[in-house]
Amino acid sequence: MSLSDYLSLQNIPETLKPIVSKLEKKERITDDEALLLYRDADVNLLGILANFVRESRFGNKTFFNRNFHIEPTNVCVFSCAFCSYSRLYKNREDGWELSIDQMLHIVKKYDGQPVTEVHIVGGVHPKMDLDFFCELIRAIRAHRPDLHIKGFTAVELDYMIRKAKLSLQEGMQKLKDAGLQSLPGGGAEIFNPEIRAKICEDKVDADGWLAIHKTAHQLGMHSNATMLYGHIESYEDRIDHMKRLRDLQDETGGFNCFIPLKFRNQDNDMSNIPEVSIIEDIKAYAIARLYLDNFAHLKAYWPMLGRQNAQLMLSYGVDDLDGTIDDSTKIYSMAGSEEQTPSMSTDEICDLITAVGRIPVERDTVYNELEVFA
Ligand code: V47
Ligand code: SF4
């Protein structure tokens, strides 16, 4: 059945017909049109449209990688209201701080295993500076040169580079020379300054976040982008957030993928805010797929969303599930995700994908295809 056949079965509201016809012709939609989709489109229509875009790019292919995380510390000088993970610098009862040797020990646990990526992200510890992280990266590279090092949110980078009194270009170049290859997408939250003032007032702002990713792209590094949704932000805020990302992507082309992150409300200063429903998750993912026409990949990060909901999102525009993880991250288990010990074997992740009629494809960090599990 073609897209037009499917659409002829839908009762499409008049307001949405011009948008549907634009999407069919693979034309870019405007901010107002994205807002109309948020307001008027039901999940059936969103699924058909987002799936059309996804399948015209990748068919049934669904990407994953074999990776693990290192979280150097959960001590953090910042105080984001949604964070369940950080322990304030002066109140460190259950905080951890890993030495370079301890982190290298984690890397060595994977000797002989076919992992391709280490994802390094954590709190912002005042004593873990740029030189410390360059040394860590060099030590990992020396031990295992084939492992792609994806590390540090713009929040961590902004802090360590400013503290080293270097320009962004100098700081990022130093990290690149040490062996850092790409940046994860964290720290973006919601760019609107009014929302940021309420949920993460003291860390890098939107312009700073975008400048760091732009600098990375100019140095030839790739990066991801996230959006923390489902708290106090409006649909307009989400679209404004994605607009800033779409504009930067037009300029640099350096983003690999977009990752909507669902706000989880356990054990943080925003616990009074209920978590949004699966319908809202579907809208966030499907509309991201339709609006961000210049982002190749849309990732459902299963440790946060839960594996079944991540699997469901494969019908709403998602083409990537991130990785096997091996129970190496605590950010989401501490925030209340049902995935308390996030780990999937390659067989499990492939089963999740094939169960909904898709084809698992192992990728590396920059989406080179390594193996098709047909
Ligand atoms: O910036 C923190 C989020 C992010 C909560 O690039 C929360 O491949 C929901 O960015 N509820 C860090 N979200 C993690 C991150 C990430 C994860 C996986 C893959 C990639 C990638 C990036 O986690 C933070 C923040 O937005 N976060 N607390 C919470 N309670
Ligand atoms: Fe620190 Fe990141 Fe938590 Fe904010 S989200 S308090 S920057 S660890």
Side-chain angles (χ1 to χ4, degrees):
M1 216 188 241
S2 71
L3 180 65
S4 311
D5 292 336
Y6 269 122
L7 291 172
S8 66
L9 300 175
Q10 300 289 312
N11 196 5
I12 301 175
E14 283 305 316
T15 51
L16 298 183
K17 284 189 176 159
I19 308 176
V20 169
S21 117
K22 260 185 159 179
L23 289 166
E24 256 189 301
K25 288 185 271 174
K26 304 204 167 77
E27 288 171 12
R28 176 168 276 192
I29 63 169
T30 66
D31 300 0
D32 288 343
E33 288 166 339
L35 192 58
L36 274 175
L37 287 173
Y38 259 120
R39 293 199 173 138
D40 294 351
D42 65 23
V43 292
N44 284 335
L45 179 60
L46 288 175
I48 291 167
L49 294 173
N51 196 44
F52 167 71
V53 175
R54 178 243 206 262
E55 287 190 1
S56 43
R57 289 197 192 165
F58 305 113
N60 278 323
K61 283 182 180 172
T62 298
F63 301 96
F64 71 96
N65 70 350
R66 299 197 219 205
N67 65 351
F68 63 98
H69 288 226
I70 295 179
E71 298 182 346
T73 182
N74 68 341
V75 172
C76 189
V77 296
F78 297 119
S79 42
C80 305
F82 55 80
C83 184
S84 320
Y85 169 82
S86 76
R87 295 295 173 267
L88 281 180
Y89 188 48
K90 291 191 182 118
N91 173 22
R92 298 186 293 182
E93 302 88 32
D94 55 351
W96 69 83
E97 308 171 17
L98 302 183
S99 65
I100 290 183
D101 277 352
Q102 286 172 313
M103 292 190 262
L104 204 53
H105 181 71
I106 297 177
V107 175
K108 287 178 180 168
K109 282 200 310 194
Y110 296 91
D111 283 358
Q113 293 189 39
V115 286
T116 59
E117 173 191 276
V118 55
H119 177 153
I120 308 173
V121 71
V124 177
H125 192 302
K127 291 200 177 132
M128 292 182 172
D129 61 9
L130 184 64
D131 287 334
F132 174 86
F133 285 119
C134 285
E135 198 185 327
L136 170 68
I137 295 165
R138 276 192 295 269
I140 297 174
R141 277 234 94 53
H143 180 72
R144 190 150 176 191
D146 61 312
L147 202 59
H148 183 110
I149 305 180
K150 177 175 89 175
F152 315 117
T153 64
V155 178
E156 295 163 275
L157 292 166
D158 171 67
Y159 184 87
M160 70 175 92
I161 293 171
R162 274 193 298 114
K163 208 160 179 198
K165 298 197 175 9
L166 296 178
S167 69
L168 275 186
Q169 281 75 10
E170 291 165 337
M172 294 298 298
Q173 185 68 55
K174 212 170 158 181
L175 287 155
K176 188 181 177 206
D177 291 345
L180 183 68
Q181 287 158 292
S182 56
L183 311 188
E189 322 314 355
I190 285 284
F191 288 144
N192 178 350
E194 285 171 27
I195 302 294
R196 265 187 124 68
K198 292 183 183 138
I199 66 168
C200 56
E201 62 171 348
D202 50 358
K203 71 184 185 187
V204 68
D205 64 8
D207 289 344
W209 191 99
L210 291 162
I212 285 172
H213 283 257
K214 183 173 175 173
T215 307
H217 299 170
Q218 286 166 339
L219 292 175
M221 299 160 89
H222 285 267
S223 73
N224 295 334
T226 57
M227 173 176 78
L228 181 70
Y229 71 91
H231 44 93
I232 58 168
E233 88 292 0
S234 63
Y235 291 151
E236 285 88 343
D237 293 328
R238 293 188 200 174
I239 294 162
D240 167 70
H241 185 92
M242 292 193 289
K243 177 178 171 39
R244 297 186 206 215
L245 292 171
R246 191 168 80 171
D247 287 349
L248 180 56
Q249 180 74 330
D250 276 343
E251 215 180 311
T252 66
F255 287 114
N256 278 334
C257 80
F258 181 64
I259 314 159
L261 293 171
K262 175 186 185 138
F263 165 66
R264 310 299 307 235
N265 70 1
Q266 185 178 294
D267 202 17
N268 57 47
D269 291 344
M270 288 164 55
S271 293
N272 59 316
I273 299 174
E275 290 178 4
V276 294
S277 68
I278 187 76
I279 301 297
E280 285 299 322
D281 296 328
I282 288 173
K283 285 184 173 186
Y285 280 84
I287 294 171
R289 173 55 93 190
L290 300 175
Y291 182 84
L292 291 173
D293 59 343
N294 55 2
F295 275 66
H297 300 283
L298 179 66
K299 182 192 284 189
Y301 184 58
W302 65 266
M304 174 271 291
L305 202 54
R307 64 188 76 192
Q308 285 176 350
N309 288 348
Q311 183 185 41
L312 181 67
M313 292 308 149
L314 297 179
S315 301
Y316 293 90
V318 166
D319 65 284
D320 185 54
L321 288 181
D322 198 85
T324 44
I325 311 282
D326 198 26
D327 193 17
S328 52
T329 174
K330 294 199 168 31
I331 298 179
Y332 289 102
S333 49
M334 290 169 84
S337 168
E338 47 278 56
E339 301 291 344
Q340 283 297 301
T341 52
S343 184
M344 271 207 260
S345 66
T346 303
D347 282 350
E348 283 174 315
I349 210 163
C350 288
D351 286 349
L352 207 71
I353 295 168
T354 50
V356 288
R358 305 290 192 191
I359 302 165
V361 179
E362 185 190 351
R363 62 159 174 92
D364 65 12
T365 307
V366 293
Y367 291 86
N368 293 308
E369 294 185 16
L370 302 180
E371 188 172 351
V372 178
F373 292 78

